[in-house]
Amino acid sequence: MLLQATTRNFRGLLTFIRSNWLSNPKTKDSDLLSFQKSFNIELRKYLDKKVSVYGRLTEESLIQKTTEHVVSLINDGGKRIRPYICFLAYHTEGGHDQATILKVGIGLEIFHAFALIHDDIIDGGKERHGLPTTHEFVHAALVDNEKGSKKRIAESMALLAGDLVFSWANEAIMRSGNKEAQDLYFNMIEETVAGQMLDVAFMSKERVDSKTLLRKNELKTARYSFVNPMLIGAAEAGSHDHDIFYTKLGMILGQAFQIQDDLLDIAGDSEKTGKTNMLDIQDGQHTFITQYVFVYGKEHDSDVLASLFGKPVDDASRKVLSALFESSGSISYAETEIASLFSEARELIETSNMKLSDKEKWLALMRLLDKRKS
């Protein structure tokens, strides 16, 4: 049913996509936006169907409200980077089944939503994509005269909502019918959880070694957001011609992407990121930038950072930290490293044996990632 509906409704859009960017050697930076429009239509259809079926199980108001909120978070937020990367690899390898690869992309996007719901519980996040995080939404929905701990109930309900979304992601992936892609997907889950567990474990430590920090970034960001979506897309197309290329490119882009995130937490525009700066410092999360100060910074800088690390950050301490990261050279070092990584990625793409039209698509994606501000 979903396959038939997807195929029927996607034909017109497919003609548009092919004529505007799938076959255009002069790919523009709007490629991701074009994909988002068509992808979001199919994502919304899939979620509407899942909510409709799930809603028949119970009429409990809190459950229905929570589920609707989670679906709103998925539908209204996110750049769709992972499904787009999967989509690009699929077409680079000669794949033509639009319905199947859209379904796989839906699975990747919904898995990402699941990971964010649980991540927000871990981090105590207040807002996601301009909306309350799931546990914050549930907390606000609970009335004061009901018994029990509102915080515990809210976090428990959010955790379970994440589990529900996780099942929806798995179902979308499994319906593609490609065993190799499914194996890559489930391996990706294990790697992502391992990276997240490293992140949580680091929050209990005053110092971490740089090698283990790099491994966390590899598992939690590079392989999760880049390498595996590329390899899954290639597997869906039945090709291994560029697996080494995808792995190398994914690792480079993943490192750059993570350092960008670390930098945005320190010096990003909070109106664009939707988050208050220095939350990583407040949570005691070791990042590329804090590691630079602890390893290469002056003793005074290291001591100041250690004294504020893992503690509530107010406006005064935020100013101190901003000045510290600037004067220590850590921000400049991060910016230089990001530029170097994107330059390396550009060279890798340009010297690959892919068709020129495919190279242009990957270069366009890289340009979008390079200039992101949130």
Side-chain angles (χ1 to χ4, degrees):
M1 284 81 56
L2 177 61
L3 178 59
Q4 293 171 342
T6 301
T7 303
R8 184 173 58 252
N9 290 283
F10 195 78
R11 283 173 182 157
L13 286 165
L14 174 56
T15 301
F16 171 82
I17 292 170
R18 280 178 172 165
S19 63
N20 282 273
W21 60 282
L22 284 181
S23 302
N24 185 356
K26 296 182 178 180
T27 307
K28 299 180 179 180
D29 286 351
S30 62
D31 283 359
L32 177 57
L33 295 178
S34 298
F35 172 80
Q36 287 171 343
K37 291 177 182 178
S38 56
F39 178 81
N40 286 341
I41 292 172
E42 300 307 317
L43 175 64
R44 190 175 295 273
K45 288 179 184 177
Y46 182 78
L47 290 173
D48 285 348
K49 180 178 179 181
K50 299 308 298 181
V51 170
S52 176
V53 172
Y54 188 71
R56 299 170 194 164
L57 299 178
T58 175
E59 295 181 356
E60 168 58 45
S61 174
L62 184 61
I63 296 175
Q64 292 183 342
K65 289 178 180 178
T66 302
T67 306
E68 290 170 0
H69 181 73
V70 167
V71 169
S72 293
L73 284 172
I74 301 173
N75 278 328
D76 299 335
K79 302 177 184 68
R80 318 309 188 201
I81 292 293
R82 292 157 194 83
Y84 179 60
I85 287 172
C86 180
F87 188 81
L88 270 187
Y90 178 75
H91 281 282
T92 298
E93 301 308 311
H96 300 294
D97 187 346
Q98 304 293 333
T100 294
I101 200 59
L102 262 290
K103 191 181 300 176
V104 172
I106 285 170
L108 292 176
E109 185 67 18
I110 296 178
F111 174 80
H112 183 55
F114 147 75
L116 292 180
I117 291 169
H118 281 199
D119 194 47
D120 287 336
I121 297 171
I122 293 169
D123 295 340
K126 303 290 186 183
E127 190 173 285
R128 174 73 63 181
H129 304 316
L131 296 172
T133 53
T134 305
H135 63 277
E136 285 293 314
F137 172 84
V138 177
H139 192 277
L142 292 168
V143 296
D144 292 332
N145 60 354
E146 291 181 330
K147 69 173 187 177
S149 166
K150 289 179 67 173
K151 181 176 184 296
R152 182 176 178 182
I153 293 171
E155 291 180 349
S156 298
M157 187 66 76
L159 187 149
L160 292 168
D163 293 343
L164 175 64
V165 170
F166 182 47
S167 76
W168 294 349
N170 293 344
E171 180 181 339
I173 295 293
M174 295 303 291
R175 285 189 176 181
S176 76
N178 186 303
K179 178 65 163 57
E180 185 180 358
Q182 291 164 4
D183 289 344
L184 285 166
Y185 169 75
F186 286 110
N187 184 65
M188 178 195 76
I189 293 173
E190 292 188 3
E191 291 176 342
T192 305
V193 172
Q196 185 65 23
M197 292 179 78
L198 278 173
D199 203 23
V200 173
F202 288 172
M203 292 166 67
S204 69
K205 302 178 183 295
E206 293 184 1
R207 298 287 191 278
V208 298
D209 65 88
S210 297
K211 182 179 179 180
T212 308
L213 180 62
L214 184 63
R215 179 60 171 165
K216 181 211 68 168
N217 291 344
E218 174 187 331
L219 293 169
K220 186 181 177 183
T221 304
R223 296 197 63 82
Y224 165 51
S225 296
F226 294 92
V227 176
N228 282 305
M230 292 179 195
L231 294 178
I232 289 171
E236 286 289 345
S239 171
H240 297 283
D241 291 349
H242 298 103
D243 281 5
I244 294 175
F245 166 81
Y246 292 135
T247 300
K248 288 181 178 179
L249 179 64
M251 293 299 290
I252 295 169
L253 291 178
Q255 291 179 60
F257 196 86
Q258 183 58 59
I259 299 173
Q260 283 179 323
D261 271 354
D262 297 342
L263 186 58
L264 287 170
D265 179 73
I266 299 298
D269 184 341
S270 58
E271 291 188 2
K272 293 181 179 179
T273 63
K275 298 179 181 179
T276 305
N277 289 359
M278 307 295 177
L279 289 181
D280 286 346
I281 309 302
Q282 181 170 283
D283 293 338
Q285 292 187 352
H286 293 270
T287 69
F288 181 89
I289 295 176
T290 61
Q291 189 74 355
Y292 180 88
V293 175
F294 283 137
V295 175
Y296 303 108
K298 297 178 182 178
E299 185 176 353
H300 172 72
D301 291 338
S302 180
D303 289 343
V304 171
L305 178 57
S307 69
L308 298 172
F309 204 60
K311 298 176 182 177
V313 175
D314 56 20
D315 289 341
S317 55
R318 193 170 286 110
K319 290 180 181 178
V320 170
L321 287 166
S322 294
L324 184 155
F325 288 124
E326 188 68 46
S327 63
S328 68
S330 58
I331 290 179
S332 176
Y333 182 69
E335 292 172 339
T336 300
E337 188 66 14
I338 291 170
S340 176
L341 287 165
F342 277 117
S343 177
E344 187 178 353
R346 185 179 301 106
E347 181 179 359
L348 183 64
I349 295 170
E350 291 175 344
T351 58
S352 73
N353 63 356
M354 291 190 300
K355 295 184 299 183
L356 177 61
S357 58
D358 291 327
K359 289 182 182 181
E360 290 294 341
K361 295 167 195 171
W362 287 103
L363 287 169
L365 170 65
M366 194 193 69
R367 288 193 294 270
L368 283 173
L369 295 173
D370 191 11
K371 63 185 182 183
R372 77 185 184 100
K373 301 297 181 184
S374 63

